[in-house]
Amino acid sequence: MRKSRFDNRPDGYLDAGEACARLGVKRDTLYTYASRGELRRVAFGRASFYAADDVERLAARAAARRGHAAVAVGAMRWGEPVLDSAICRADDRGLFYRGHDAAGLARRGASFEEVVGLLWRPGPGDGGPVAIRAEAPRGPGARAAGPAVGRFVRALPEVAARDPGRSGVGEAADVARGAALLGAFGGLLAGCGGREGEGLAAALARGFGAPAGASAALDAALVLLADHELNASTFAARIAASAGADLYACVGAALYVVTGARHGASCDRIEALLETLPARGLGRELARRMARGDAVVGFGHPLYPRGDPRSAPLLEHARPLGRSARAAKALALVDALASLSGLGPSVDYALVALAAALGLPPGRATALFALARTAGWVAHAFEQRAQGGLLRPRARYVGPAPVGA
């Protein structure tokens, strides 16, 4: 029998056949899970899709009857908590940094520096803002051709050599190193150094030659993308920190992971999709593509069944700025897909739309994502050090039997 496959699923969802195979159940049981509210289901095109994290939770629960190893393997897949953290909470109630609503912070005009202080220096008064000054690395790695994320990875040795903490220990030295990392990455991306008293978002807006209002929009983007609990790149940073790696190595580990197409590079996939869509008749073309199973990436998020709370504030900044044809197309797609499927855009899509509205070239959205998330990686490295212990999962061997055993 030929299996039907729908590539236009929302990110983080499985079709019915995949969900049944993962759970080892028939479709009637799958529908029962959905009717009880144990499994989120969305309609997309002509098919229904099921939240991958809900499927994994149900699979792990069923595996509990088969012993600890099966549960551990399930826990290492997407959606199950593996570490305690006081930094960030992301669920169907929204995104919160140490109890503060991230969307609310962005809408109130909180600066990136204030949110960095909240993430890095918890306590009375929420730590206060961390001073971050853009200062672009000058070495050959930073000047090389290629995407900004790769250039910053190559420039990390230069940044480490200028260690502002002078190899010291303690909060002050750690915060100085983290601020230097953010300032160096921001300076590389902006192509300029910061001015006295200038925030990182303002330096980026000046370096980009962006229109009026860009600084506030960039601050909102940096704030909303600063952390998202234990995603793949953050987990890599925590593993490095647990092994005793220095802060530069922790950020480097995370940066390598963020280049993956299923993580930070999702912005590049969204930009590629927009290039293939027509400016006129967008709704009709989108409907045709969905009907034949073409991919529509950047919509829906399994953690946010009511919509990604980070997207709306970014689109609120993008709409009045988006006068270019590229920005108009990106914003029109949001409206068209909402009408066709009811799904809202992920923060990756909203970031691409904002970058287009600011007149930034393709690829810049991924770099902004990585710059903002550096704040979260540093926070998690600090927390992992404080918690102690080496993160060392076990492998469950499933290969051939050992010879001569």
Side-chain angles (χ1 to χ4, degrees), residues 274-302:
L274 287 169
E275 286 295 318
T276 70
L277 290 170
R280 293 187 176 183
L282 179 61
R284 292 190 301 274
E285 174 63 16
L286 189 60
R288 282 195 294 269
R289 290 183 178 217
M290 290 176 64
R292 68 175 184 246
D294 286 358
V296 182
V297 295
F299 286 81
H301 196 295

Side-chain angles (χ1 to χ4, degrees), residues 95-112 114-115 118 125-126 215-217 219-221 223-224 309-310 312-314 316-317:
L95 174 65
F96 300 86
Y97 301 150
R98 299 197 187 277
H100 295 261
D101 176 34
L105 289 169
R107 285 195 167 106
R108 290 197 297 274
S111 70
F112 183 52
E114 290 173 310
V115 170
L118 173 65
D126 294 326
S215 179
D219 244 336
V223 165
L224 289 163
R310 301 167 294 175
L314 293 187
E316 288 164 12
H317 281 284

Side-chain angles (χ1 to χ4, degrees), residues 335-378:
D335 299 332
L337 197 58
S339 175
L340 287 167
S341 70
L343 287 174
S346 67
V347 73
D348 303 302
Y349 189 95
L351 181 61
V352 167
L354 178 62
L358 294 173
L360 306 184
R364 197 57 59 83
T366 294
L368 285 170
F369 170 87
L371 171 61
R373 191 56 55 83
T374 300
W377 298 331
V378 170

Side-chain angles (χ1 to χ4, degrees), residues 39-374:
L39 183 59
R40 283 168 289 172
R41 174 172 56 189
V42 298
F44 199 62
R46 297 179 180 178
S48 291
F49 295 88
Y50 300 84
D53 61 331
D54 291 347
V55 171
E56 291 298 340
R57 286 192 184 96
L58 290 169
R61 187 176 70 185
R65 291 188 287 271
R66 300 195 296 272
H68 175 74
V71 176
V73 170
M76 288 301 294
R77 295 191 174 97
W78 200 93
E80 287 297 312
V82 294
L83 295 173
D84 290 333
S85 177
I87 296 170
C88 176
R89 173 175 137 184
D91 55 30
D92 58 0
R93 287 162 285 192
L95 174 65
F96 300 86
Y97 301 150
R98 299 197 187 277
H100 295 261
D101 176 34
L105 289 169
R107 285 195 167 106
R108 290 197 297 274
S111 70
F112 183 52
E113 288 76 7
E114 290 173 310
V115 170
V116 169
L118 173 65
L119 294 174
W120 293 2
R121 299 189 298 208
D126 294 326
V130 170
I132 303 167
R133 184 165 184 170
E135 184 178 358
R138 304 295 181 187
R143 297 196 304 270
V149 173
R151 287 190 287 125
F152 187 59
V153 170
R154 292 191 289 272
L156 277 174
E158 177 190 344
V159 180
R162 300 195 315 235
D163 182 12
R166 294 181 176 84
S167 301
V169 297
E171 181 184 288
D174 278 340
V175 168
R177 292 186 186 101
L181 278 160
L182 286 169
F185 198 175
L188 181 147
L189 188 53
C192 65
R195 296 171 176 170
E196 189 67 32
E198 182 180 54
L200 191 58
L204 289 168
R206 179 167 55 84
F208 294 160
S215 179
L218 287 165
D219 244 336
L222 294 174
V223 165
L224 289 163
L225 289 160
D227 195 54
H228 203 233
E229 51 121 280
L230 290 177
N231 51 67
S233 57
T234 301
F235 194 37
R238 290 194 74 127
I239 290 173
S242 80
D246 66 28
L247 195 59
Y248 306 102
C250 294
V251 169
L255 282 166
Y256 275 117
V257 173
V258 89
T259 61
R262 296 177 66 183
H263 190 18
S266 61
C267 291
D268 299 332
R269 293 167 56 212
I270 293 165
E271 288 173 340
L273 167 69
L274 287 169
E275 286 295 318
T276 70
L277 290 170
R280 293 187 176 183
L282 179 61
R284 292 190 301 274
E285 174 63 16
L286 189 60
R288 282 195 294 269
R289 290 183 178 217
M290 290 176 64
R292 68 175 184 246
D294 286 358
V296 182
V297 295
F299 286 81
H301 196 295
L303 284 179
Y304 306 119
R306 292 192 292 270
D308 192 328
R310 301 167 294 175
S311 301
L314 293 187
L315 294 176
E316 288 164 12
H317 281 284
R319 289 190 186 279
L321 293 168
R323 297 187 177 93
S324 70
R326 190 160 60 99
K329 185 195 293 186
L331 294 167
L333 180 57
V334 172
D335 299 332
L337 197 58
S339 175
L340 287 167
S341 70
L343 287 174
S346 67
V347 73
D348 303 302
Y349 189 95
L351 181 61
V352 167
L354 178 62
L358 294 173
L360 306 184
R364 197 57 59 83
T366 294
L368 285 170
F369 170 87
L371 171 61
R373 191 56 55 83
T374 300

